[in-house]
Amino acid sequence: MMRKIVIANWKMNFDLHQTASFLRNFLKLSFNKKIIYNKEIIIAPSLPFLHISNQIIKGTSIKISAQNIFFMDKGPYTGEVSASMLKSMGIEYVIIGHSERRINFFENDEILLKKIKIAIKNKLKIIFCLGETYNERNENKHFISIKNQLSKTIFNFSLYDVQYFYIAYEPIWAIGTGISANSDHIQMMHQFIRSLFSNKYGESFSKKIPIIYGGSINLNNAKSIFSIPNVNGGLIGNSSLKIEQFLKIVQS
Ligand code: PGA
């Protein structure tokens, strides 16, 4: 069985002091309670604090992820950060395709494709987010929407390139709303996504690709969401910002 993956997406929260003290406390508390044993835990702090975060978790099994990269390697792109810069600090993971970036920063499939390309070139592991909108779900277009999002991005890459991907299914209507998708919906969509990977890359690979759920995971629903077939873990926003809550979610 694949071990469970818990990813904390801190988004634009926490200053330097808060970032460092959360990580130090998390290490102390989680090791005391042995709760991170046999789990893959990835934390995505804000960009300026990636380096210090990576230093704090050094020597542990916890990993640090960036929340974004730019699609060029270097040059006159004021304010942007490249995959190779992340690599130079020892960062191995990056989130690409989060709906907040698609919506607020107009990242379309074409841009995501370029970001994936540069991330693969720099051997970053990609946490790729996808999900349908509220309208798409209501109009019964969620399957086609997910299929399109994959066809226009990841499915342009070879099996060799996609082997280090994590897929995060995040229905856009559930993110940050406090209302997660129900278990039937999650199960159906995860199964559907896995079947698309099976058609494209073969059954044996499709069983190995981690597909995690994101969208209002909290203390009350984490355990039941993590036990849904085909759900390999969770991408957690709001509920990852309070250490006690996050620890309990990891525990569940
Ligand atoms: P949420 O965010 O847990 O606050 O809904 C999840 C995400 O955006 O990845």
Side-chain angles (χ1 to χ4, degrees), residues 8-156:
N9 178 10
W10 284 352
K11 308 187 181 183
M12 201 175 73
N13 292 293
F14 291 162
D15 61 18
L16 172 61
H17 172 71
Q18 291 165 322
T19 301
S21 81
F22 186 112
L23 288 172
R24 288 195 182 105
N25 286 335
F26 183 75
L27 287 181
K28 204 161 57 191
L29 295 169
S30 59
F31 281 113
N32 285 347
K33 295 181 185 161
K34 293 198 169 48
I35 65 167
I36 58 173
Y37 172 72
N38 213 16
K39 296 180 191 94
E40 193 173 341
I41 297 174
I42 303 170
I43 297 183
S46 286
L47 183 73
F49 313 129
L50 289 176
H51 186 52
I52 178 114
S53 299
N54 223 18
Q55 288 183 327
I56 293 171
I57 54 87
K58 203 172 177 175
T60 74
S61 60
I62 295 169
K63 305 283 183 205
I64 298 296
S65 172
Q67 298 175 14
N68 183 33
I69 44 165
F70 189 53
F71 54 72
M72 299 297 284
D73 230 2
K74 61 177 178 179
Y77 306 103
T78 303
E80 293 294 343
V81 169
S82 72
S84 57
M85 290 172 180
L86 296 182
K87 281 299 275 194
S88 73
M89 318 185 234
I91 301 295
E92 293 171 53
Y93 297 79
V94 62
I95 299 174
I96 295 181
H98 194 284
S99 60
E100 284 155 13
R101 293 215 56 92
R102 296 186 197 235
I103 295 165
N104 300 326
F105 302 96
F106 315 107
E107 292 189 1
N108 56 24
D109 293 322
E110 208 181 313
I111 291 174
L112 298 180
L113 199 61
K114 290 192 208 167
K115 290 191 172 200
I116 293 172
K117 243 182 221 163
I118 201 96
I120 290 175
K121 187 176 152 219
N122 284 279
K123 298 195 167 42
L124 286 171
K125 298 188 177 96
I126 298 169
I127 300 156
F128 188 78
C129 304
L130 79 182
E132 77 279 3
T133 62
Y134 180 77
N135 284 346
E136 284 168 339
R137 185 190 63 153
N138 275 354
E139 291 161 12
N140 228 4
K141 291 184 181 149
H142 40 297
F143 290 115
I144 189 74
S145 163
I146 295 297
K147 193 173 176 190
N148 278 339
Q149 287 174 52
L150 283 170
S151 310
K152 290 183 183 159
T153 55
I154 299 180
F155 285 178
N156 286 288

